[in-house]
Amino acid sequence: MAVAISAGVVGAAVCAAFVYAAGPGRDPDDQLVDPGSIDRTQRALSAAEQPAMQLLQRAVDASRDVFYAGTKVLTSPTSSAYVDIWHVPGRGTTSKVESGSLDSDTPSGQLEGDPVDDGLDDLVLATLTHGYSLAVMGDADCVGRSTSVVEARSLSTHQLAAKLWLDDATGLLLRRQLFDDAGHIVRSTSYVDIKVGSAAARNPDSANPPSPDGGSPPVGKKTTAPAMTVPAAKLLTDAQVSQLRAQGWPLPDVLPGGMQRYEAYELTDASGPVIQLSFSNGLFSSSLFVQHGQLDVRNLRGVHPEQLGDASVYASSGLYRTLTWAGGDTVYTLVSDAPASVADSAVTALPHRAPDTSVLGRIGRGIARVASWVNPFD
Amino acid sequence: MSSPASERHLGELAAAVTDGVLGHQARERALVHLAGCPACRAEVEAQRRLKLMLSGLGGPEAPMSLADRLRAIPDASPNHDNNDDDDSGYGGPAGLSLPQVRMQASFRDTGTGRPSRGPRSSRRHTVIVGATGGFAAFAVSLGVVAIAGAPEQTEMVRPPVMAYTVEHSRSAGLLPGGDPALNLDPAAFDSRGGR
């Protein structure tokens, strides 16, 4: 009898090996295999590109150093919004949604701290040169001001990717158009009215901007609290991101479309820690939110189910493309202003299969666990 | 061409007359000849007596030990061994094929008086027991790994999509040339078709 049972155990092991080799329960994409690496070096620019890069660097400085106020219109193929903006050097930027498809009965706004020069600008401009060539195409008027027009074209396809209107007087970016691979405008940002310097403080349409002297906003101007609970964000260093990755967090440094991570945050949410990774290719930007757990699709608001290849996601399209999906025991949420094809390609590049709960899946996963118990090297 | 002696006597036909296998006309001519030929009549009479004597003899008696061995053979049927089809015509009183008889003849009588069980039956019994035990072990093993492979109980997560959109807007607003940070009101989002 003992011989018979031994033979049965051996037979079970052989059959189990076949089941395991079939792979239904191994969840091979539970973990991110290769997070990629960030390239911070700027491509050697040609002589024709140098003036365009100088204009862009001037625009970065101007967005911090110039006092300005105005109204911007943001448009995407399906949405638009008018936003009032005030910027006070040293204090930050306040924005308020005025009207459009994003209009609300209670306009909301928030004061953002002035970005500090921590190398972010250099990284984003370097990333821009990885995928695009630059050129100054000439002069043009924009909201009554003289501007220089800079074009960015794809290095691989030479397709127009962006047109930028840069104020000759201040260097500010007044208008921006972004294109997809088919040449269609996928996002446009343009001032319809702008005042700079002391004129901004006298602008009757923006009578109550934050005080340029650093004081509190004048009485009557209400900077409303966020209308939803936004988790507190803690900036993470690259070393901390690597440490989290070693602990099992699937945190990529690059995404399809030439996207490189430029920042990482840890958010504190009711369901546990959430890691936010911010990406940019110099023109478009994406944010990836990673959290452990099983995706609860009940009462999931603002998104609807879609099928992207072999991935089941919950998505929405508007001013931003939003995607939520499960990969292994992790839930991912991507918010991006990039073309849908670029945003969607991140799903297939990341784990996108929920845990296999079938019998074969359980057997395969169980074999892996039992094998790990007896494997002295595991 | 036949000899005159063969025309006057029956010769080999005497045996046919004795066995009664001649046709009607041949038999009539033979009987006419016998009526007039004392020599042939004596020959036929001698053959009839010899035939009667042979038919009166009995068959040989089989030994009792052989009969016991034959009765101890289980499922003895010529059809069980297809390789012995050519020997089926040798079936004896017990219906055994010749090779089976040879196999049984090689057995030794243990003297217990109880018929001994064949090795084929014992082997079949071992296989059945082994298969049952093996299947049970296989089922237990699969049950163990299936229990071990149950998905880990992790917390259910419902991503706050709108809050994440605001976070993205804030982060992207820090980019050079990036759009301003927008604090989107979820009520407004729902009113334009959010689900």
Side-chain angles (χ1 to χ4, degrees):
Chain A
M1 178 63 77
V3 173
I5 293 178
S6 299
V9 171
V10 172
V14 172
C15 294
F18 279 113
V19 172
Y20 183 61
R26 285 187 293 172
D27 294 335
D29 61 355
D30 271 354
Q31 298 299 323
L32 195 66
V33 177
D34 182 12
S37 58
I38 300 174
D39 182 2
R40 299 179 182 275
T41 59
Q42 187 179 102
R43 176 176 58 83
L45 300 178
S46 65
E49 292 177 293
Q50 295 285 355
M53 177 55 74
Q54 290 170 2
L55 286 174
L56 293 178
Q57 287 173 334
R58 184 177 178 231
V60 171
D61 295 337
S63 65
R64 263 197 304 268
D65 301 336
V66 175
F67 179 23
Y68 62 90
T71 302
K72 257 185 175 180
V73 57
L74 281 63
T75 58
S76 72
T78 57
S79 300
S80 64
Y82 283 85
V83 184
D84 285 342
I85 297 176
W86 299 269
H87 176 76
V88 181
R91 280 210 60 209
T93 304
T94 301
S95 59
K96 183 179 76 172
V97 177
E98 284 291 346
S99 63
S101 60
L102 294 179
D103 191 17
S104 62
D105 294 335
T106 304
S108 56
Q110 63 188 87
L111 182 65
E112 293 292 339
D114 220 7
V116 295
D117 187 3
D118 55 357
L120 169 63
D121 303 336
D122 292 337
L123 172 60
V124 173
L125 291 179
T127 305
L128 176 65
T129 66
H130 296 164
Y132 303 98
S133 62
L134 305 173
V136 179
M137 302 307 295
D139 298 330
D141 284 342
C142 181
V143 289
R145 301 177 71 90
S146 175
T147 63
S148 298
V149 181
V150 172
E151 284 189 357
R153 290 183 176 271
S154 168
L155 284 175
S156 57
T157 64
H158 304 291
Q159 182 73 36
L160 180 63
K163 288 181 71 174
L164 310 170
W165 283 257
L166 301 162
D167 186 26
D168 289 336
T170 63
L172 286 171
L173 175 64
L174 300 183
R175 188 180 182 190
R176 183 179 70 156
Q177 290 179 337
L178 303 179
F179 302 83
D180 62 13
D181 291 338
H184 301 131
I185 295 178
V186 293
R187 193 173 184 86
S188 176
T189 306
S190 178
Y191 278 100
V192 294
D193 177 52
I194 186 170
K195 298 290 187 294
V196 296
S198 56
R202 295 194 299 269
N203 180 13
D205 294 332
S206 55
N208 299 308
S211 173
D213 59 6
S216 301
V219 176
K221 169 59 186 173
K222 183 180 181 182
T223 300
T224 58
M228 69 204 74
T229 302
V230 179
K234 183 182 79 174
L235 186 65
L236 297 175
T237 64
D238 287 349
Q240 289 172 318
V241 172
S242 298
Q243 189 175 2
L244 288 171
R245 195 176 290 132
Q247 294 172 2
W249 284 84
L251 306 177
D253 275 341
V254 296
L255 288 178
M259 295 279 185
Q260 291 199 124
R261 180 178 65 80
Y262 62 87
E263 277 186 341
Y265 301 91
E266 180 177 355
L267 314 178
T268 303
D269 189 71
S271 61
V274 182
I275 305 300
Q276 176 190 357
L277 305 176
S278 299
F279 297 85
S280 174
N281 67 354
L283 296 178
F284 300 101
S285 60
S286 299
S287 290
L288 179 68
F289 299 85
V290 184
Q291 54 196 132
H292 288 316
Q294 300 293 319
L295 179 60
D296 183 5
V297 299
R298 296 170 301 172
N299 301 321
L300 196 59
R301 303 177 69 179
V303 291
H304 56 276
E306 281 189 19
Q307 192 69 28
L308 300 177
D310 62 342
S312 298
V313 304
Y314 290 81
S316 69
S317 296
L319 205 54
Y320 301 102
R321 173 72 168 164
T322 304
L323 300 158
T324 297
W325 72 96
D329 293 330
T330 303
V331 175
Y332 302 86
T333 302
L334 183 81
V335 184
S336 177
D337 55 25
S341 59
V342 175
D344 295 353
S345 62
V347 177
T348 52
L350 293 168
H352 54 268
R353 277 190 284 179
D356 187 354
T357 57
S358 67
V359 175
L360 282 179
R362 291 184 59 156
I363 291 175
R365 193 162 42 243
I367 292 168
R369 284 181 189 165
V370 172
S372 69
W373 297 340
V374 299
N375 183 0
F377 303 105
D378 197 354
Chain B
M1 187 175 72
S2 55
S3 66
S6 64
E7 290 176 355
R8 290 194 298 271
H9 299 287
L10 292 177
E12 294 178 354
L13 287 178
V17 172
T18 301
D19 292 338
V21 296
L22 289 175
H24 178 72
Q25 292 183 351
R27 182 171 177 274
E28 286 298 322
R29 287 198 300 271
L31 291 177
V32 170
H33 177 79
L34 284 175
C37 181
C40 290
R41 199 162 50 243
E43 175 65 19
V44 170
E45 189 63 27
Q47 289 193 20
R48 282 178 177 170
R49 283 198 298 273
L50 178 59
K51 183 177 180 182
L52 286 174
M53 185 180 67
L54 290 175
S55 64
L57 294 176
E61 292 291 331
M64 288 304 295
S65 60
L66 176 60
D68 288 342
R69 291 188 194 122
L70 294 175
R71 279 193 293 269
I73 299 173
D75 297 333
S77 170
N79 294 331
H80 284 187
D81 193 342
N82 293 333
N83 294 332
D84 296 335
D85 286 345
D86 294 340
D87 297 324
S88 57
Y90 292 93
L96 292 177
S97 63
L98 183 59
Q100 287 170 324
V101 173
R102 289 186 187 133
M103 179 181 66
Q104 293 298 322
S106 66
F107 292 168
R108 288 184 178 178
D109 192 345
T110 58
T112 59
R114 187 179 64 183
S116 60
R117 301 174 66 182
R120 183 174 302 178
S121 173
S122 176
R123 205 175 303 131
R124 184 180 300 120
H125 178 73
T126 302
V127 169
I128 293 173
V129 172
T132 305
F135 180 78
F138 178 74
V140 170
S141 302
L142 282 186
V144 169
V145 296
I147 293 173
E152 294 179 355
Q153 294 299 317
T154 55
E155 189 164 352
M156 299 301 288
V157 172
R158 189 182 307 162
V161 176
M162 286 308 303
Y164 287 170
T165 303
V166 172
E167 275 299 305
H168 166 72
S169 174
R170 178 193 58 77
S171 176
L174 300 177
L175 291 175
D179 291 330
L182 300 178
N183 189 8
L184 308 175
D185 189 341
F189 186 88
D190 290 341
S191 68
R192 70 175 201 272
R195 286 168 288 273

